[in-house]
Amino acid sequence: MQRRNFLRAVGGAGVAALSAGATGHALAQAVPAGTLPIGQKPKFVETPPLAKVRASPERVISVDVCTRPFRAQGPRIEAEKAGRKTIIHSYGHGGSGWSLSWGTGEQVAALALATGEKEIAVVGCGAIGLTAARVMQRYGLKVHIYAREFPPVVRSSYATGAWTPASRIVSADHATPEFRAWWQKTARSSFRMYQSLLGLPGNPIAWQDVYLLSDGPAAETHWESQGEPDYPDLQMDLIEGFHARSVELAPDQHPFAAARVRRGLNLVFGIGAYSKMLMDDFVRAGGSTELREFGGIGDIGKLRQKVIVNATGYGARALLGDDSVIPVRGQTCRLAPQPEVNYNLYYTSQNVSMTSRTDGLLVQSQGPHDFGNEDARPDYAEILRSVEALAKAFA
């Protein structure tokens, strides 16, 4: 679920450089300088209009529910001695797991290298565990992953796949100067890594236009469930100027029914292709996996490796008895793929978002009772409402 931070960043400071206008132009062909007669301008072609999303119930091809691990204090990333073992904790990343995974992976690798051990166990194979494993391999460590689930059925596989590094990462009252410095360093580290993954086969990472729709007189920037804390505007505060601003569009510059529309850019993860790439790279680098379920921290301590990374996400609540991990329910449905739809939208007035991916159009909405809710049963009434709300964007 995309949070206030992401929406405000795109709507205000933006998370990426501006794209060409919806009714803007593109060069028909490259024209060498000096080849045109004096006074004649190069020919341009109109940008094709945005393709309409076919939002209807019969196009729903899957429904998924996951639980995001929010900690008011922010993620727990630290090493702990347990007898003769060292357990490195990395969990509680809220809705920012994929977005911050490379930055936190570097921090986990530093803690592992400090032990002097060359063989590392990782418990959990979601975004945080799998990426940390890859980072440690890059530093020459031998890594073995233990998990009860592997992609594509881990919770991380059900994420929307948008770059949201400040989504439920910390509550406002815990956003100290030290935390803000940590977040900025981690976000920038991850962002730099994602730039190196652009253009790879299968498009695991890509830039896409994002449209922010609102029916109000002023741009609405967020929705949230009952009981949620205030969140800091980390992207607005700390990476202002890191990207260019988004732009507000005139009514004749877009096909949407909303009163206000802004356009920017955002990174999108093709979760399926990206997870497969990480797993393939992990195995090629000598990594190994083992299907195993853990009943408690004592079971983790029985592993043969002396250094163990605990990357169990929401599972850490039961595994460690850590009540600081709060479940945040997230439900999505996937519409059949539309290759011509190569943009994303957030319709805050209708409480719905759409992320365009090659495996389908991921539709998500925020329920009023999702915060603190670990119920993983699908709510089909909400699915129908979200699809109908998406259709209203083009009414």
Side-chain angles (χ1 to χ4, degrees), residues 8-16 235-236 239-241 243-246:
R8 297 188 74 169
V10 180
V15 290
Q235 284 181 246
M236 274 291 250
I239 56 176
E240 171 74 20
H243 301 295
R245 293 179 177 274
S246 62

Side-chain angles (χ1 to χ4, degrees), residues 71-90:
R71 293 182 82 239
Q73 308 93 319
R76 183 186 181 189
I77 303 176
E78 62 180 351
E80 174 187 18
K81 291 295 292 185
R84 295 163 61 180
K85 307 276 187 177
T86 298
I87 300 179
I88 300 172
H89 299 286
S90 183

Side-chain angles (χ1 to χ4, degrees), residues 180-195:
R180 289 171 177 267
W182 171 87
W183 179 86
Q184 181 166 214
K185 176 183 177 181
T186 306
R188 288 181 179 272
S189 176
S190 292
F191 187 85
R192 283 194 300 270
M193 184 61 189
Y194 284 126
Q195 302 315 293

